[in-house]
Amino acid sequence: MAPAEKKQKIAEEKGKDVEMKEDEKPKEAETPKVPEPPKELETDGAPWKSKNTDPVAFLTADTTLNTLTSANGILMSLNEGAMQHFHAGARANVGISKGRYLFEVKIIEHVSTPDTPGAVKKSKLALKVGFSTAGSSLILGSADSFCFDADGFALHNTKRTPTGGRITRDSVVGVLLNLDKESPNFNTMSLFKDGQRATQPLPLPEELLGKTLFPHVCFKGMSLFTNFGPTPTAPLPFKCNMIQEAAKAHCTVNQQAPPEGGKYEVVYPVSLPDEGSFDWLDMYLEKNPSFTELSDRMIMEWAQKSGFWASNAKASRDKPDGMKELDDASIRRAVYTMAPLQARSYVVMEVKGNLLKDERKELLSKFDTPAFTKTAVVLVGEPSSEFKKKTLEMTLKKKQAASDAVFRSKLAEEKRKKAAAKRQKDQEKAKKKAQTGMAKKIAEAKKKAWTDKAAKALADDKPFEEKEPEDYKEVEEEPEEPEEVEEPEPDPPKVELTPDEKKSFFFAHDVQDLAASVLSANFAKFSLPTKAEGFDEVRYTWSKESKSEEHLKKWIAERKLTLRVEELVPGQWALKTYKDWSTTLMEWQKKLKAYKDKIDAKARAKAASEAKAKMTAALKAAKEKALAEGKTVPEDKKEEEDKMEVDEWEEIDPAEFAKLDVYGAEDILDVGCGAPLFKDFAAADWVLMTLRLELHLLAIAFAKDCNDPDRLGVHVDHIPFYYSKYFKKNLSPADYGVPGCNEIVKLVTDTVYLSSQSVLQSQLSDDMETFAVFAKLAEDARRNRLLRLDLGDEAAQLKLNGRILGSFQITQPRGQKREQPKEWGNQQQQGWGGPPSAEGAGAWGGAKWGASKWAKPQGQATIIKPGESALTAAAAVAPVAGKGAAPAPAAVADSSSGPKPIGIIRPGASAPAKAATPVFAPPAGQPFTPAGKGLVIPSAAAGKGAVAAPVLAGKGVMPPPAGLVMPSAPQWQSKGVTPPPAAPQQKGVTNPAAWAGKGAPAPAAVAPPAAQSYGKVQDKGKGAGPAKGASPYGKDSSKGGGKDWGKSAGYGGGKDSWGGGGGKDWGKG
């Protein structure tokens, strides 16, 4: 390139850089222009020739009760108590249907009011200005109104839309309604502040189009000045006529007609609860809009529209609750204070109050002035055809709404399922498409690899014999299904009323007119009004007076059967009778316990006598054998033998008892041999016997305490309520294993029954001298029940639950101390024996090592002597089928190699020749393993130590440490346990048979200590023979005793012990 050309090119490049830099220089920021306000489209309006000449005012009927008006347009509100939180509303009497018109409002003062103590603090200031339809709610914000509020929002049908036009004190606000078809702002409403536009024109809601709209003001906590013309206080940018200057063709003027006869009317509707009260009221107010409703319902609706929050749960329609701010009743007082002072007609809707004579009198007194005529309208009996038609319409509408809701729910569910199926199908299609694409790519890759290999082989002049892969076969894709055209939703099916629904006179509301408690407490006092009470007229609208009276009496009689008496108080007769029953029941249980104790005592005496006889015979045989062998036998000391006499008393023969005529028994406490009639009662029999007495007492006492011949008795639905009142406890069908109170009564139909009207009736007299008949009924029912069960009638089986059965366990009488034995082997000691009457009880006779573990077959030898072999497998201790027995723990001692510590010997092995302690034979075939942690068996000599037996894993037994050394004798004594002495011949520990002297059976396969005499009792008082029924390893699994190895949760019977009967140590009782 020539130098000239090069220079030229460089220059061009530099020129470009300079241009770029100049372009990159920041330009000076332009000042944003303030947007110009929208052009005002409103133009000046000309005055009308034919103007409205009636003054614009607030009629009394179109103001709330707390609103005070004046002739010069001043509006004020009452502010006492909770009334300060209620909005005041006022609607002008001139409505606009055409044209463009303005009215003005100005806040002239804020009213300062003290807070109500305990009330929730609310905003005390509120202002709404706008238009509404005639007869609509006086509190702006409903579907029939459109307004601006002081916070800068437009409000319609509770929906708020921000506008920015806030209203402040001392500002004049103008509300412009434009219904001029020629105006560009037709069907709009605008807000002006001090003559300047504060909001752009807002279109009227669709619900208000074409309707006549009236100026409306709603406020709280302030006083207002209203101006309807003819001259505006704050002129607008354009000329506009005010409401007072409206053309006659553009407006409607409402006038308050003077009352008939010069007096306003106060109507008192008298109707029965849930028989059309408020439905009739709504129809009446619709026909007579000049009447004002006075009721708690009206107050509640007023409060909600004023910003109070109320829960959805309503106690009743007559007295709706849910607002704690209204609990002081100050609103009600203010309403009934202001109402008589205002010139308007009222409907006093008090369902309960208008039915009670005393309350009617009080309500009448509030309007006891010459300005009012007081009329009672009686709505009792069959309603008018017009009312019945309205009822059917409401019933059909409710039924249709419920049907529509179900229909839409099903439709939505079908759509959901359809959409889910479509998503599933689309996912499968996408998955298949992805798999097809992947297969195609793999085929193409294989083809390319083969081609590359073939080309390389050809280039290298090498042979290439690899088979060419097949070409990918295109799979024809399924044609796209056309998208389903969404069909329009079908219309819900139309419902029809059933014949029964068509016969109904009254609409069934979700909330009742009166709360159940209020109705129950007052319905018996309901009456119809008369002129003598102070009414100027009593008007019977639905039925004539005679039929209305008859209907009321019938209605009250029906309610007396079905409604409970909330204020009923149990009388003295009922309280005394139930107290006497409780005392009698305790005496019967004491009698039963004494009888059973007597049987047990005889059994123990007999067992001891038999054991002593056997011991004497054994000693005599041993002595004779020694003499026969030429051995010298020391002479016995001449001691006076204890003659253990067995009581000759015999318990009643079961066969004779079964033949006993239950109802012929003269003394139920002694039907023979001292046996009470209820000797065989189980807990269920005691429960049902008491239920008989209680239901009988309930039926009789209710009639006495109510003292009302029209109340036939306790209705079945209210049995639990009155049962709780009389007996201070709950009656639950679940406790008796039945679904309801009807079935509870069926359990004791020999005592009580339900009448044809489902009323509880007793079959017994109310003047019984004793309670014996209840025991007889219970015993007779018990026998019949057992007979039915024997015949296979499963329906006779009772299903009472543990809670109710547990309340009738026979307990030891108060004041009687339980015996707390401390010697080994005593009756109450669960460590080595247990009560002699309990088969399989004791340390080795409990529910685990006794009845459920080492159950002993009948006829098996239980004792082996030192040096003898344990029985073979056929005779060894083994589980007993059907008795719940299980294998014994693993063995821990083998006698083949000499003396062993305390433990277990296997079948066939010999007991140690010099065994110092007992050993135990396990079942045949059980493994022979070392001991684990478990029950420590005390040695025969105190302080000699102990060795642990195996533990049963997973049985909830907490084992003591293995090899735990027993405490010394002084320590045992401090724990309430007397240890066995070191010398086995003393204190009843001579041999296993002697261990049972206190009711403790000897363990099975027990080898007595070596070098000890066998069968000799050194201390007669401490070592008797074996106890009756106490088999060594537990004979009966159902009577084995406690929960684990002993009797209770511990090893020997106590809660925390493994040797005692309930204490925390080895042998503590």
Side-chain angles (χ1 to χ4, degrees):
M1 181 182 291
E5 294 177 355
K6 185 176 182 180
K7 289 181 180 179
Q8 184 180 357
K9 186 174 182 180
I10 293 173
E12 290 176 356
E13 294 292 337
K14 287 183 178 180
K16 291 180 180 179
D17 292 342
V18 171
E19 289 178 2
M20 289 177 63
K21 290 179 180 179
E22 289 179 352
D23 292 339
E24 291 173 0
K25 287 183 180 179
K27 297 180 180 179
E28 293 183 3
E30 296 180 0
T31 304
K33 296 181 180 179
V34 178
E36 295 182 0
K39 184 179 178 181
E40 181 61 67
L41 301 179
E42 299 287 357
T43 59
D44 293 340
W48 302 103
K49 294 181 180 179
S50 180
K51 301 179 183 179
N52 169 45
T53 57
D54 295 315
V56 180
F58 296 105
L59 303 181
T60 304
D62 286 329
T63 61
T64 56
L65 291 170
N66 63 336
T67 302
L68 303 177
T69 63
S70 67
N72 56 0
I74 302 296
L75 294 177
M76 301 178 67
S77 65
L78 297 175
N79 293 285
E80 181 183 7
M83 184 61 81
Q84 63 181 299
H85 300 299
F86 278 61
H87 287 192
R91 180 169 43 238
N93 65 328
V94 177
I96 303 299
S97 57
K98 296 179 181 179
R100 185 188 67 180
Y101 296 98
L102 170 78
F103 78 95
E104 294 178 330
V105 176
K106 179 180 180 180
I107 302 174
I108 57 177
E109 72 167 347
H110 288 162
V111 180
S112 177
T113 56
D115 290 325
T116 304
V120 177
K121 291 187 177 181
K122 297 180 178 293
S123 174
K124 294 182 179 181
L125 302 177
L127 175 62
K128 301 173 187 176
V129 292
F131 286 85
S132 66
T133 60
S136 63
S137 172
L138 292 175
I139 308 300
L140 284 170
S142 67
D144 296 322
S145 64
F146 189 39
C147 65
F148 299 101
D149 66 13
D151 297 326
F153 289 85
L155 186 63
H156 168 69
N157 197 19
T158 70
K159 183 179 179 181
R160 303 177 75 196
T161 304
T163 62
R166 298 178 66 88
I167 303 174
T168 58
R169 179 175 175 174
D170 297 330
S171 296
V172 177
V173 293
V175 184
L176 178 68
L177 178 66
N178 191 334
L179 301 180
D180 185 3
K181 292 183 179 180
E182 305 300 327
S183 171
N185 293 333
F186 174 56
N187 278 339
T188 63
M189 190 174 73
S190 303
L191 182 70
F192 291 82
K193 185 177 179 181
D194 293 329
Q196 301 298 317
R197 179 176 287 278
T199 68
Q200 292 303 310
L202 298 180
L204 292 176
E206 186 177 353
E207 295 91 331
L208 302 181
L209 297 179
K211 294 183 178 180
T212 301
L213 302 178
F214 294 79
H216 199 141
V217 177
C218 186
F219 60 100
K220 179 180 73 171
M222 59 184 65
S223 298
L224 304 178
F225 167 72
T226 57
N227 178 26
F228 296 101
T231 305
T233 306
L236 303 184
F238 51 88
K239 292 181 180 180
C240 180
N241 293 318
M242 300 193 73
I243 300 292
Q244 185 64 64
E245 296 292 302
K248 288 185 177 181
H250 294 174
C251 67
T252 299
V253 181
N254 291 335
Q255 300 290 350
Q256 186 164 342
E260 294 182 9
K263 292 185 178 182
Y264 292 96
E265 187 178 16
V266 182
V267 175
Y268 296 83
V270 180
S271 61
L272 295 174
D274 302 317
E275 292 195 358
S277 304
F278 287 94
D279 296 335
W280 177 89
L281 174 62
D282 293 336
M283 293 175 61
Y284 187 83
L285 293 176
E286 187 177 355
K287 292 180 181 178
N288 302 276
S290 60
F291 278 74
T292 300
E293 176 185 351
L294 297 181
S295 68
D296 282 38
R297 181 185 76 162
M298 178 273 294
I299 294 175
M300 178 66 70
E301 293 176 353
W302 187 4
Q304 288 178 310
K305 292 176 181 178
S306 298
F308 284 85
W309 179 88
S311 62
N312 292 329
K314 295 181 180 179
S316 67
R317 303 177 75 206
D318 188 44
K319 299 292 180 184
D321 56 8
M323 294 186 183
K324 61 183 180 180
E325 293 90 342
L326 307 182
D327 289 344
D328 61 354
S330 60
I331 298 296
R332 185 180 174 86
R333 287 195 301 270
V335 166
Y336 278 102
T337 299
M338 288 299 301
L341 304 178
Q342 299 183 10
R344 65 172 93 194
S345 296
Y346 299 98
V347 181
V348 180
M349 189 69 233
E350 298 281 347
V351 178
K352 176 178 73 73
N354 291 347
L355 283 166
L356 297 175
K357 184 176 181 179
D358 292 341
E359 294 193 22
R360 283 198 299 265
K361 183 178 180 181
E362 181 182 353
L363 292 171
L364 281 169
S365 65
K366 298 183 182 299
F367 295 92
D368 194 13
T369 65
F372 295 100
T373 297
K374 299 178 283 295
T375 304
V377 178
V378 181
L379 308 164
V380 176
E382 183 176 347
S384 62
S385 57
E386 181 187 11
F387 185 89
K388 286 190 282 188
K389 182 181 178 181
K390 181 69 174 178
T391 298
L392 293 180
E393 291 175 357
M394 294 170 64
T395 304
L396 182 61
K397 183 178 180 181
K398 181 180 180 180
K399 188 174 183 179
Q400 185 66 56
S403 174
D404 292 351
V406 174
F407 176 79
R408 292 191 185 95
S409 177
K410 290 181 179 180
L411 197 64
E413 180 65 17
E414 290 177 2
K415 285 184 177 180
R416 187 192 65 78
K417 289 181 179 180
K418 205 171 187 180
K422 186 177 184 303
R423 285 195 303 270
Q424 180 70 19
K425 193 173 183 179
D426 292 344
Q427 290 174 0
E428 291 176 357
K429 187 183 291 185
K431 182 179 179 181
K432 189 175 181 180
K433 186 175 182 181
Q435 291 174 346
T436 301
M438 182 61 68
K440 184 176 182 180
K441 288 181 180 179
I442 292 173
E444 291 174 350
K446 288 181 179 180
K447 183 77 173 179
K448 184 177 182 302
W450 183 88
T451 303
D452 293 343
K453 287 182 181 179
K456 185 177 180 182
L458 183 64
D460 296 341
D461 197 18
K462 294 181 180 180
F464 184 73
E465 298 180 355
E466 184 176 338
K467 187 178 180 181
E468 181 180 1
E470 295 181 0
D471 292 333
Y472 176 75
K473 296 181 179 179
E474 293 284 347
V475 179
E476 294 184 5
E477 295 184 1
E478 296 181 3
E480 292 286 338
E481 296 181 3
E483 292 188 5
E484 294 184 6
V485 179
E486 189 173 350
E487 298 179 358
E489 289 188 5
D491 295 329
K494 298 297 181 181
V495 299
E496 294 182 357
L497 297 180
T498 64
D500 290 338
E501 290 172 334
K502 291 179 179 180
K503 292 178 183 179
S504 178
F505 294 157
F506 308 108
F507 180 72
H509 290 275
D510 296 331
V511 180
Q512 295 181 332
D513 285 354
L514 296 182
S517 58
V518 175
L519 178 61
S520 177
N522 295 280
F523 78 93
K525 298 177 287 186
F526 287 171
S527 64
L528 299 182
T530 62
K531 282 189 174 183
E533 296 176 13
F535 289 101
D536 297 302
E537 181 184 1
V538 177
R539 190 185 308 155
Y540 285 86
T541 305
W542 288 350
S543 301
K544 293 182 180 181
E545 182 176 0
S546 58
K547 288 188 175 182
S548 297
E549 290 283 358
E550 182 181 350
H551 182 84
L552 176 61
K553 289 180 180 179
K554 182 180 178 181
W555 185 90
I556 292 175
E558 291 174 353
R559 298 308 179 278
K560 285 187 176 182
L561 290 178
T562 57
L563 294 180
R564 62 195 192 190
V565 186
E566 298 285 347
E567 70 278 5
L568 181 68
V569 177
Q572 291 301 316
W573 179 86
L575 298 176
K576 182 180 182 302
T577 303
Y578 194 60
K579 182 178 180 181
D580 293 344
W581 163 255
S582 301
T583 303
T584 302
L585 188 63
M586 291 179 62
E587 292 175 353
W588 289 359
Q589 291 184 342
K590 288 180 182 179
K591 174 65 178 178
L592 178 59
K593 186 179 185 305
Y595 177 74
K596 290 187 175 182
D597 288 347
K598 193 173 183 180
I599 295 175
D600 293 343
K602 181 178 179 180
R604 289 195 298 271
K606 184 178 180 181
S609 178
E610 291 174 354
K612 184 175 182 181
K614 289 181 181 180
M615 185 63 67
T616 302
L619 290 175
K620 184 177 180 181
K623 184 176 181 180
E624 291 175 353
K625 183 179 180 181
L627 291 173
E629 294 175 354
K631 296 180 181 179
T632 303
V633 178
E635 294 183 2
D636 293 337
K637 295 181 180 180
K638 300 295 182 179
E639 296 181 357
E640 185 179 352
E641 294 185 358
D642 294 334
K643 294 183 179 181
M644 189 171 295
E645 297 181 0
V646 178
D647 193 349
E648 296 300 328
W649 172 83
E650 293 290 343
E651 61 179 303
I652 190 171
D653 183 26
E656 293 296 327
F657 182 76
K659 296 178 182 179
L660 177 69
D661 180 9
V662 172
Y663 297 103
E666 296 182 0
D667 184 3
I668 65 169
L669 299 182
D670 187 359
V671 296
C673 301
L677 182 65
F678 40 80
K679 74 180 188 68
D680 293 330
F681 274 18
D685 299 303
W686 291 100
V687 170
L688 294 180
M689 180 175 67
T690 300
L691 180 65
R692 287 178 171 86
L693 176 281
E694 290 171 340
L695 294 184
H696 159 76
L697 179 60
L698 184 61
I700 301 299
F702 178 83
K704 290 178 178 288
D705 297 336
C706 279
N707 194 24
D708 185 349
D710 293 334
R711 291 188 183 272
L712 301 182
V714 177
H715 192 272
V716 65
D717 293 340
H718 304 313
I719 289 177
F721 172 77
Y722 294 116
Y723 186 93
S724 176
K725 267 187 176 292
Y726 277 89
F727 308 122
K728 306 302 180 185
K729 57 183 178 180
N730 294 329
L731 180 67
S732 172
D735 287 343
Y736 295 87
V738 295
C741 288
N742 296 67
E743 290 73 20
I744 288 181
V745 174
K746 290 179 182 179
L747 292 175
V748 290
T749 50
D750 51 14
T751 305
V752 292
Y753 67 96
L754 293 176
S755 68
S756 59
Q757 296 171 308
S758 298
V759 173
L760 184 69
Q761 300 290 330
S762 175
Q763 303 199 60
L764 305 179
S765 173
D766 60 346
D767 58 351
M768 294 181 292
E769 296 181 359
T770 68
F771 298 108
V773 65
F774 296 104
K776 294 178 180 180
L777 290 168
E779 172 60 18
D780 187 40
R782 184 189 69 83
R783 295 183 180 190
N784 290 334
R785 183 175 69 250
L786 295 180
L787 178 60
R788 290 172 59 193
L789 290 173
D790 290 341
L791 294 175
D793 185 1
E794 296 181 358
Q797 183 66 50
L798 296 176
K799 299 178 182 179
L800 279 65
N801 67 17
R803 192 193 72 84
I804 194 69
L805 291 175
S807 62
F808 278 90
Q809 297 294 341
I810 300 178
T811 57
Q812 188 162 334
R814 283 186 188 175
Q816 181 177 340
K817 295 183 178 179
R818 290 183 178 272
E819 185 180 359
Q820 299 291 345
K822 300 178 182 179
E823 298 290 346
W824 277 41
N826 212 322
Q827 291 177 18
Q828 298 297 328
Q829 187 68 38
Q830 302 304 316
W832 283 83
S837 61
E839 296 184 5
W844 305 105
K848 295 302 178 190
W849 276 46
S852 298
K853 289 297 172 186
W854 285 18
K856 182 181 78 67
Q858 293 291 333
Q860 179 186 319
T862 59
I863 302 175
I864 58 174
K865 298 179 181 179
E868 291 183 347
S869 297
L871 300 178
T872 60
V877 178
V880 180
K883 293 296 184 179
V892 297
D894 185 359
S895 64
S896 60
S897 58
K900 297 294 180 182
I902 302 171
I904 303 173
I905 61 171
R906 50 186 186 177
S910 298
K914 297 182 179 180
T917 53
V919 290
F920 304 89
Q926 293 300 316
F928 191 72
T929 57
K933 294 181 179 181
L935 176 62
V936 176
I937 309 170
S939 70
K944 294 297 183 180
V947 178
V951 66
L952 298 179
K955 297 298 183 181
V957 180
M958 294 301 295
L964 180 64
V965 178
M966 290 166 38
S968 62
Q971 291 175 320
W972 286 16
Q973 293 166 355
S974 66
K975 297 297 184 180
V977 181
T978 302
Q985 293 88 347
Q986 302 175 11
K987 300 298 181 182
V989 195
T990 56
N991 57 55
W995 290 0
K998 293 297 184 179
V1006 177
Q1012 302 299 323
S1013 60
Y1014 183 73
K1016 184 177 180 180
V1017 180
Q1018 298 295 335
D1019 191 333
K1020 298 177 181 178
K1022 297 296 183 179
K1028 176 184 178 181
S1031 59
Y1033 283 102
K1035 183 176 179 180
D1036 189 342
S1037 65
S1038 65
K1039 301 177 182 179
K1043 179 178 178 182
D1044 282 294
W1045 289 13
K1047 180 179 180 183
S1048 184
Y1051 291 86
K1055 182 178 180 182
D1056 300 308
S1057 74
W1058 41 280
K1064 295 186 177 180
D1065 295 285
W1066 286 15
K1068 186 174 180 180

